[in-house]
């Protein structure tokens, strides 16, 4: 027995907003519902991750699919992608989030995303680590330039994620915003997945008074995430979009977003 259904979405495709993971999770939940077969949230997320690898060859991590399944209203998710341990981090009510589209579409299978992951895996192999959490900064000494920068990004990013979660828990918007900016700089310089349009959006966000911003997803196009004081969300969004369209001549679509519940069967 097959399944006939209708799929609709208001999530922009090719904008770094995990649209592929959203489709995978939605279809998987529908198939489970029709078959009267239930999977644990992370088990289903892992199945969707495998499907993306097999269908389009993208060696993606588990983050996007897990976020689709684990989301809760008003909370971020602190996820260890190696162990799948996770916990919710309440989002401060005075902290707002914006998504700004660069107008540069992309699909990861047509970018250097796989190459970057391969370079990182080689760097980990060279230092004898099975996963990035086992690597210490001292291990970077002696690596060639490219593997050193790829591994340095992951090491420093892991620490920034932990610090970002702690900043949210103590309602420290200044630190959270600074960490986003540092994350983008590392993605641009060490992991080399940014493009001029994304760099421009981050620059414009900071100039508009945002707390911080970074590219979203695997880079090479798509959108940026902007952290703002919630009462200035609309003002900052308009300033970024207006100036970006003036200078780039494209994109600039903004969305005011909030953490919300993940996928479910109604």
């Amino acid at each position: 027995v097959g399944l006939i259904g209708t799929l609709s979405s208001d999530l922009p495709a090719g904008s770094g907003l995990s649209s592929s993971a959203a489709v995978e999770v939605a279809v998987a939940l529908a198939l489970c519902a029709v078959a009267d077969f239930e999977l644990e949230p992370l088990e289903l997320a892992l199945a969707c991750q495998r499907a993306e690898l097999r269908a389009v060859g993208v060696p993606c991590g588990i983050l996007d699919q897990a976020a689709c399944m684990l989301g809760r209203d008003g909370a971020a998710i602190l996820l260890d992608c190696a162990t799948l341990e996770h916990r919710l981090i309440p989002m401060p009510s005075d902290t707002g989030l914006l998504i700004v589209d660069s107008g540069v579409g992309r699909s990861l299978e047509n970018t250097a995303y796989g190459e970057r992951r391969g370079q990182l895996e080689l760097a980990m192999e060279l230092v004898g680590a099975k996963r990035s959490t086992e690597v210490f900064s001292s291990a970077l000494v002696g690596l060639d330039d490219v593997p050193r920068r790829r591994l340095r990004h992951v090491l420093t990013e892991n620490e920034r994620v932990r610090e970002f979660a702690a900043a949210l828990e103590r309602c420290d918007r200044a630190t959270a915003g600074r960490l986003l900016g540092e994350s983008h700089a590392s993605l641009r310089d060490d992991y080399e997945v940014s493009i001029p349009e994304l760099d421009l959006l981050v620059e414009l966000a900071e100039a508009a008074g945002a707390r911080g911003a970074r590219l979203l997803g695997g880079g090479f196009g798509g959108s940026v995430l902007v952290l703002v004081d919630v009462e200035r969300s609309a003002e900052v969004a308009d300033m970024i979009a207006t100036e970006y369209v003036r200078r780039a001549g494209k994109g600039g679509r903004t969305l005011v977003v909030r953490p919300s519940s993940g996928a479910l069967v109604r």
Side-chain angles (χ1 to χ4, degrees):
V1 178
L3 169 66
I4 298 175
T6 301
L7 181 66
S8 62
S9 173
D10 58 3
L11 187 65
S15 297
L17 300 180
S18 306
S19 57
S20 59
V23 169
E24 292 155 12
V25 168
V27 170
L29 283 173
L31 291 172
C32 287
V34 168
D36 194 22
F37 178 73
E38 188 173 351
L39 289 174
E40 291 296 319
L42 284 174
E43 189 176 359
L44 187 142
L46 286 167
C48 291
Q49 179 196 20
R50 292 193 297 272
E52 182 155 346
L53 174 60
R54 294 172 183 175
V56 295
V58 176
C60 64
I62 190 62
L63 175 62
D64 293 355
Q65 293 86 354
C68 288
M69 291 302 301
L70 300 176
R72 295 293 183 272
D73 282 334
I77 308 164
L78 180 61
L79 171 69
D80 185 326
C81 293
T83 67
L84 299 185
E85 294 179 4
H86 59 277
R87 64 184 179 91
L88 299 178
I89 308 293
M91 192 73 181
S93 59
D94 59 2
T95 302
L97 296 170
L98 308 174
I99 303 293
V100 189
D101 184 12
S102 69
V104 180
R106 65 103 179 92
S107 55
L108 289 183
E109 65 270 24
N110 297 318
T111 71
Y113 174 86
E115 178 187 61
R116 294 294 184 275
R117 178 155 177 165
Q119 292 167 338
L120 173 61
E121 290 171 348
L122 173 61
M124 293 171 62
E125 181 181 330
L126 289 172
V127 300
K130 294 182 180 179
R131 62 186 204 188
S132 59
T133 52
E134 298 170 340
V135 183
F136 297 96
S137 297
S138 58
L140 299 175
V141 179
L143 288 177
D144 290 339
D145 178 58
V146 170
R148 181 176 66 252
R149 287 188 289 115
R150 302 296 184 257
L151 188 51
R152 181 171 62 195
H153 164 69
V154 173
L155 289 175
T156 57
E157 188 74 348
N158 283 343
E159 185 57 35
R160 279 188 291 269
V161 169
R162 287 187 284 268
E163 292 179 9
F164 185 83
L168 288 184
E169 288 181 313
R170 63 175 184 269
C171 301
D172 184 352
R173 288 175 292 179
T175 297
R178 173 181 59 78
L179 289 165
L180 282 184
E182 291 175 358
S183 175
H184 182 82
S186 183
L187 287 161
R188 180 192 65 214
D189 301 333
D190 278 352
Y191 213 53
E192 294 185 286
V193 295
S194 190
I195 59 173
E197 290 87 348
L198 296 174
D199 297 339
L200 175 59
L201 280 174
V202 170
E203 174 189 326
L204 294 177
E206 294 172 349
R211 295 286 181 168
R214 75 183 288 276
L215 67 83
L216 275 172
F220 301 105
S223 308
V224 299
L225 174 70
V226 183
L227 188 76
V228 295
D229 297 343
V230 70
E231 68 273 9
R232 295 198 62 215
S233 295
E235 175 190 359
V236 171
D238 183 64
M239 292 172 66
I240 298 171
T242 299
E243 185 63 13
Y244 182 75
V245 171
R246 187 185 72 80
R247 294 174 60 172
K250 58 188 173 186
R253 178 183 177 184
T254 60
L255 298 171
V256 178
V257 298
R258 61 177 180 82
S260 59
S261 295
L264 51 84
V265 177
R266 297 188 182 279

